Amino acid sequence: MATIYWSGAIDTDIDDYRNYVTGENADPSSATIADNSGDFSGDNVIFQSLAVSNVSNNPTVNANETFNSIRIDSGCTLTGNASYSITVDGEADGAGTTTSGYAVDIAGALGSNVNLIITTAAHTFLDIVPSSGTVTNLTINHASCVARWTGNSTLTGNLTINQGAIEADDGDETFTVNGDVTVGDGSGSANTAVLGNAADTAAMTFGSLTIDTDGKYIATSGTTTITSASSNYAISNAGTFTHNDGTVTITGGSNQWLHNGPYYNLISNNDSSIGMGIGANITVANDLTVNASKNVGWVSAGNTLTVTGDVIVNGYLNK
């Protein structure tokens, strides 16, 4: 396994070996890595700052690429591509200027459409908080992976956990996903894909949350906010939803239906005429609060709503 350094000596292409050197700020005329036919899967890659004297271009993703780990230094901007992803299948070991235990370590900036797939077969850290920009889509896809985000993190696209797990490092880091969150790939094996940890206390915000038959969401003991819906469902649950004594708040557009919980505290802030919908037999283990008008209704007349605590209605609860 090698640690290699981006120089951008030829152009912006991350798939071209001629854009990498064997040492920190090494001269590309004498230290370019050997031709690897585009196979970087065994390499810890450090994308060096454009301010470094022997770095000529910032990197751009123009093919699907696999690295053992990636680090983006301050002063470097990595630009992605909507058609391609970077897969990380290992983690850094501290060699060179890498940080041990990190699959992804971003100190620099991100341009548009940076998509990451993590297949690291171990507990590993993800620093996906750049100096500017955001990761677009993030996928966790190894049964032995437990990825831990290390700061208040945001995705502009989707979070997909096919297998493995992702959780906050210290429990108090927020996670915002502007798009859809999908936990599990439908394989049917119980809880092989997991989002969250019982120690997580920080706010989570998702566009929508879909838990497949092999998925599990361990909710934060703080607040999970759902801002949109996928196929009309704000939360669709065919797997396991563990409420962790937390609060789920529904706020956003119309047709935000809820599937199985059970939920602990449930708050509806949706003021659409077709707002939060009871899309299954729903149990709220503590309190239900309805804050907006024309807010809660039944998708099917046969669906039940059971609240073991208090019901506070500041708007309308429609049956």
Side-chain angles (χ1 to χ4, degrees):
M1 186 178 299
T3 299
I4 61 175
Y5 296 77
W6 171 262
S7 71
I10 302 299
D11 54 23
T12 65
D13 183 2
I14 70 166
D15 195 48
D16 191 329
Y17 77 95
R18 296 172 298 172
N19 283 319
Y20 298 90
V21 290
T22 56
E24 184 178 3
N25 196 26
D27 185 348
S29 65
S30 59
T32 298
I33 68 170
D35 186 351
N36 61 1
S37 301
D39 181 7
F40 296 90
S41 58
D43 295 318
N44 298 311
V45 176
I46 299 170
F47 293 103
Q48 298 185 103
S49 169
L50 196 60
V52 173
S53 60
N54 282 318
V55 176
S56 303
N57 295 285
N58 274 319
T60 298
V61 179
N62 56 5
N64 290 320
E65 197 60 75
T66 299
F67 301 107
N68 186 69
S69 72
I70 62 170
R71 173 177 168 81
I72 303 173
D73 283 344
S74 178
C76 174
T77 299
L78 172 68
T79 298
N81 187 306
S83 299
Y84 302 114
S85 298
I86 291 176
T87 296
V88 178
D89 63 359
E91 62 182 15
D93 58 4
T97 56
T98 66
T99 304
S100 183
Y102 278 76
V104 177
D105 186 4
I106 303 175
L110 297 179
S112 60
N113 297 312
V114 175
N115 304 311
L116 300 176
I117 301 172
I118 310 301
T119 61
T120 304
H123 286 71
T124 194
F125 296 111
L126 304 180
D127 180 348
I128 54 173
V129 185
S131 59
S132 64
T134 57
V135 173
T136 302
N137 299 308
L138 174 64
T139 300
I140 309 298
N141 196 23
H142 195 288
S144 299
C145 181
V146 179
R148 293 171 173 156
W149 69 86
T150 61
N152 295 334
S153 302
T154 298
L155 305 179
T156 54
N158 303 323
L159 171 63
T160 303
I161 309 161
N162 289 325
Q163 52 182 339
I166 184 169
E167 60 190 41
D169 177 28
D170 291 325
D172 59 356
E173 300 95 346
T174 65
F175 207 142
T176 299
V177 181
N178 293 341
D180 300 321
V181 175
T182 303
V183 186
D185 61 4
S187 67
S189 301
N191 301 336
T192 58
V194 181
L195 169 59
N197 185 292
D200 292 346
T201 61
M204 306 295 164
T205 303
F206 309 141
S208 70
L209 174 61
T210 299
I211 307 168
D212 220 320
T213 53
D214 55 336
K216 181 176 185 178
Y217 176 50
I218 305 173
T220 172
S221 60
T223 299
T224 300
T225 300
I226 307 295
T227 63
S228 187
S230 176
S231 301
N232 292 330
Y233 276 94
I235 298 177
S236 177
N237 176 29
T240 303
F241 184 104
T242 301
H243 62 62
N244 201 20
D245 291 349
T247 297
V248 171
T249 298
I250 306 299
T251 179
S254 63
N255 287 339
Q256 288 184 281
W257 301 348
L258 292 184
H259 212 218
N260 304 321
Y263 306 98
Y264 188 69
N265 292 317
L266 177 61
I267 299 175
S268 179
N269 284 333
N270 188 317
D271 60 1
S272 172
S273 59
I274 307 175
M276 193 181 86
I278 305 303
N281 295 332
I282 301 296
T283 298
V284 179
N286 199 43
D287 297 339
L288 168 66
T289 303
V290 181
N291 282 329
S293 63
K294 297 182 179 178
N295 172 260
V296 176
W298 269 250
V299 175
S300 172
N303 294 338
T304 62
L305 172 62
T306 302
V307 181
T308 60
D310 297 328
V311 177
I312 302 98
V313 180
N314 299 313
Y316 291 92
L317 184 63
N318 304 317
K319 181 68 170 76

